[in-house]
Amino acid sequence: MPPAHSTRRRLAAAIATVLAVTLGSGALSVPATAAPVTADAAVTTDTAAAAEDVITLADGRSAPRLVATAGEPAEVTLVRHTVPSVIDLSNKSFVSMDWELSQDGWATVVLRHTRTGITTKHLLGSAGHPRTFSLAWDAHDVVTGDAPNGDYTWTITAESVDGVPFDFTASGSFTVVRKTAPHDFNDNGSLDVLERDPWGGLWRVDTSSYDGSLSLASRLQIGWGWQAYDRIEATGDLGGTPVGDLLARDKSGVLWLYQGNGRGGFATRIKVGTGWQIYDRIAAGSDLTNDSRADVIATDKYGGLWLYPGTGNAGAPFSARKKIGTGWGVYNELTAVGNIAGGAAGDLVARDKYGVLWQYLGKGDGTFAPRTKIGGGWNAYTHLVGVGDVTKDGRADLLGFGADSEYLYRATGDWRAPFAPVQQALLHYPDHAYDHIA
């Protein structure tokens, strides 16, 4: 888009020059009382207007008030717009929107998120289509971060090509939605990682996935006293809300549910179980039973694998447990990763004590196909976290956290090679110590 004021000044000067040359040559016969014609031949100005017919522009310049000519009104109307009523940003970041007005000019479009008040302003104009104003809305803003879900309003105002404001405003609304993501706690579609520091502080790291890379966008402390828990697990939607939830087990074996509030934090905890000290591994976030609900699995100290099917009810988030395997004591890391291989349901990855990572494809009935080997060397990571679809390609991804660096493994959808080549991610600063990741 051309710079507004300089382009308008150049355009106005050029029009004035053309008119002066044309009128001076005698090519046109104009009545003595006629006013000069504007760029779109739609309005005129009365050069002998009274002071009240002069307006002051935003840059301090004076300009005559626009009045109608015969046959074409100066009134501006909205001819059409293409703003969808519902915008699903689950797998995309850009949305095209158009507004067509009845007059040439320049437009300003303001988008505002109703709940948070987050507002972006867009100055629009095109020499080729001076009445159509197109916006490729990037839902990832470098200042405000990813656009949150929920209701939005849009407002459009306009001015003439030479900078005179029209007496015109139009507005509307739309709603942004996304699929529930296991690691989206502030309801904006981007990955959030939870870190507990050595002093019990809980931190939410909001990330940015842009141009194929994953990096830290913001880091905020959201809790204290979390050293009381020996297991913390992001679960996806366990309690029936459209945002991710959290399970935490205290050292006496009591299991607590923290429902996400959609604003980056959690509601008051709910006690959902006792006796969970019998488990040495807990993983959640995959839909293993193909009912669109997140499930929980756990391995006991004898190597038994147990499934807790999700119910979607915060007061009783699981139905009765089912034993679905034995011999799982050989693994020191168990991660629910979602559907990484294009199968019928969510999958698991498990790391043995030698650092070999194994894939278990979900069959959709709460059980798994025979394991397949992914590769060795995975003991370089202290935590493996199934983070959902970070890259908005429709497939769940995996993060590996090392002693001083993080790596992103993008799912391919092919069980024979479930991950693309590894990419380094930048999710914390060197002085931000942590002892647990979820």
Side-chain angles (χ1 to χ4, degrees), residues 88-266:
D88 188 344
L89 293 178
S90 298
N91 298 318
K92 62 183 178 182
S93 296
F94 289 90
V95 180
S96 296
M97 305 176 182
D98 292 333
W99 294 264
E100 182 181 346
L101 304 185
S102 61
Q103 298 285 348
D104 295 357
W106 307 83
T108 299
V109 170
V110 176
L111 306 180
R112 183 180 185 276
H113 185 243
T114 303
R115 177 176 62 81
T116 64
I118 293 174
T119 302
T120 58
K121 180 182 290 188
H122 310 269
L123 305 179
L124 306 177
S126 168
H129 302 279
R131 297 188 182 188
T132 300
F133 305 95
S134 299
L135 171 63
W137 182 41
D138 185 355
H140 173 85
D141 188 272
V142 294
V143 177
T144 60
D146 290 78
N149 294 329
D151 294 333
Y152 286 77
T153 59
W154 59 261
T155 304
I156 181 171
T157 55
E159 56 188 62
S160 70
V161 293
D162 55 352
V164 180
F166 291 130
D167 184 15
F168 163 78
T169 301
S171 60
S173 62
F174 60 92
T175 301
V176 168
V177 298
R178 295 178 177 91
K179 296 177 182 177
T180 301
H183 282 264
D184 178 17
F185 300 112
N186 59 348
D187 205 27
N188 69 346
S190 66
L191 164 69
D192 297 320
V193 174
L194 298 177
E195 300 178 346
R196 185 185 65 190
D197 66 34
W199 304 276
L202 188 67
W203 298 78
R204 178 176 57 80
V205 176
D206 200 1
T207 69
S208 170
S209 178
Y210 207 63
D211 295 332
S213 61
L214 182 65
S215 59
L216 181 150
S218 64
R219 186 174 187 264
L220 178 68
Q221 187 167 4
I222 59 173
W224 297 262
W226 284 71
Q227 70 273 18
Y229 300 117
D230 59 10
R231 293 294 302 181
I232 301 171
E233 186 73 24
T235 64
D237 173 23
L238 274 183
T241 61
V243 293
D245 302 324
L246 188 68
L247 283 176
R249 183 186 68 187
D250 67 29
K251 295 175 183 178
S252 66
V254 177
L255 192 68
W256 301 89
L257 172 65
Y258 287 83
Q259 284 188 275
N261 61 18
R263 298 185 296 276
F266 301 96

Side-chain angles (χ1 to χ4, degrees), residues 35 67 306 400 412:
V67 297
W306 298 86
T412 64

